[in-house]
C-alpha cells in the first residue's frame, strides 16, 4: 500500500459516556473499539501528532454540558494542551472552530475515529472531504448501535465500504499504527 501522512491530525469524535456507557443500548465491539482508539491516541501522542477531541453538546438530555454523560470517556480523556471542540450537529465542522484550528496547526491529513458510525463519523468524513482534507478512517476504531433496520456490524461494514476510495482511505488500527 502506497500511503503516507504528511501533516496529520487525529480527530476523536464523540467518545463520550452517553454513547460508550449507554445503559439501554450495546455499543458494537465496545471493548475492542475503545482499545483501538486508545492505542491510536497513545501512538499519536508519542509521535507528536496533534489529537483533537470533538464533543457533542446539547442544552438538555444525555449530551447536556457539564453532566457526567456528556464527558469524554476517562480512559481516553484529553491531556495537556489537546484541544476539545464542542459541536451541536453531526458535522464536526459545522459552526465549530475545527477548520480554523486545523488550519492553524497546518493539518491536512485527518485520521478519524469515534462514535457514531452512521451519524457523526459519516457526516464528518464527508464534510472533511468536501473541504479537501485527506481522510483516513480507522475501520475498527469507530462504532455504533443496532438500528431498527440494520445491525451495527452491517452499518459499520457498509460505511467502511462506502467511504473507501470515495471519501477516505479506510484501514485497520494495526495498519495505521505502522504509519504513525
Amino acid at each position: 500500500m502506497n500511503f503516507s501522512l504528511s501533516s496529520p491530525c487525529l480527530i476523536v469524535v464523540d467518545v463520550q459516556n452517553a454513547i460508550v456507557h449507554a445503559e439501554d443500548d450495546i455499543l458494537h465491539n465496545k471493548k475492542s473499539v475503545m482499545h483501538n482508539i486508545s492505542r491510536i491516541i497513545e501512538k499519536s501522542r508519542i509521535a507528536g501528532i496533534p489529537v483533537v477531541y470533538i464533543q457533542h453538546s446539547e442544552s438538555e438530555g444525555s449530551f447536556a454540558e457539564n453532566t457526567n454523560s456528556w464527558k469524554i470517556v476517562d480512559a481516553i480523556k484529553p491531556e495537556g494542551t489537546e484541544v476539545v471542540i464542542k459541536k451541536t450537529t453531526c458535522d464536526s465542522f459545522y459552526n465549530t472552530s475545527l477548520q480554523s484550528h486545523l488550519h492553524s496547526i497546518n493539518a491536512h491529513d485527518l485520521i478519524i475515529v469515534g462514535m457514531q458510525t452512521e451519524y457523526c463519523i459519516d457526516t464528518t468524513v464527508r464534510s472533511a472531504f468536501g473541504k479537501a482534507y485527506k481522510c483516513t478512517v480507522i475501520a475498527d476504531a469507530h462504532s455504533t448501535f443496532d438500528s431498527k433496520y440494520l445491525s451495527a456490524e452491517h452499518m459499520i461494514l457498509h460505511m467502511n465500504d462506502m467511504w473507501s476510495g470515495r471519501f477516505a482511505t479506510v484501514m485497520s488500527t494495526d495498519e495505521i499504527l505502522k504509519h504513525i
Side-chain angles (χ1 to χ4, degrees), residues 41 45 49-53 76-84:
I41 290 171
R45 287 174 176 158
I49 294 172
V51 179
V52 174
Y53 290 81
I76 59 112
K77 67 184 176 185
E79 291 183 354
T81 60
E82 292 174 340
V83 172
V84 178

Side-chain angles (χ1 to χ4, degrees), residues 2-155:
N2 186 13
F3 178 83
S4 67
L5 295 167
S6 60
S7 54
C9 180
L10 175 61
I11 308 292
V12 181
V13 180
D14 298 349
V15 184
Q16 294 167 255
N17 289 327
I19 296 172
V20 176
H21 301 301
E23 292 178 19
D24 54 346
D25 283 318
I26 298 171
L27 188 65
H28 181 70
N29 280 343
K30 175 170 71 173
K31 187 175 180 179
S32 176
V33 168
M34 289 303 298
H35 177 70
N36 289 338
I37 291 172
S38 181
R39 290 172 58 207
I40 295 165
I41 290 171
E42 181 180 331
K43 183 83 181 268
S44 295
R45 287 174 176 158
I46 291 167
I49 294 172
V51 179
V52 174
Y53 290 81
I54 306 298
Q55 186 174 29
H56 192 82
S57 299
E58 297 177 358
S59 58
E60 57 187 40
S62 298
F63 295 98
E65 289 191 30
N66 301 314
T67 62
N68 188 53
S69 59
W70 168 80
K71 291 179 182 175
I72 294 170
V73 173
D74 281 342
I76 59 112
K77 67 184 176 185
E79 291 183 354
T81 60
E82 292 174 340
V83 172
V84 178
I85 296 174
K86 296 177 190 172
K87 68 174 181 59
T88 58
T89 70
C90 290
D91 185 348
S92 297
F93 289 92
Y94 182 74
N95 285 336
T96 73
S97 61
L98 179 58
Q99 189 165 6
S100 63
H101 177 69
L102 294 172
H103 180 74
S104 75
I105 62 172
N106 198 33
H108 301 287
D109 299 335
L110 308 183
I111 303 166
I112 300 174
V113 301
M115 310 301 165
Q116 277 183 257
T117 301
E118 75 280 26
Y119 294 116
C120 299
I121 301 298
D122 181 48
T123 307
T124 297
V125 167
R126 291 172 190 247
S127 183
F129 175 82
K131 292 170 178 46
Y133 289 98
K134 177 182 167 190
C135 297
T136 303
V137 178
I138 309 308
D140 54 358
H142 65 89
S143 191
T144 193
F145 304 96
D146 290 344
S147 79
K148 182 177 176 180
Y149 302 104
L150 289 172
S151 70
E153 179 182 14
H154 284 108
M155 274 188 274

Side-chain angles (χ1 to χ4, degrees), residues 117 139 142 151-163:
T117 301
H142 65 89
S151 70
E153 179 182 14
H154 284 108
M155 274 188 274
I156 293 164
L157 290 170
H158 172 73
M159 295 311 302
N160 284 338
D161 183 57
M162 197 62 183
W163 296 320

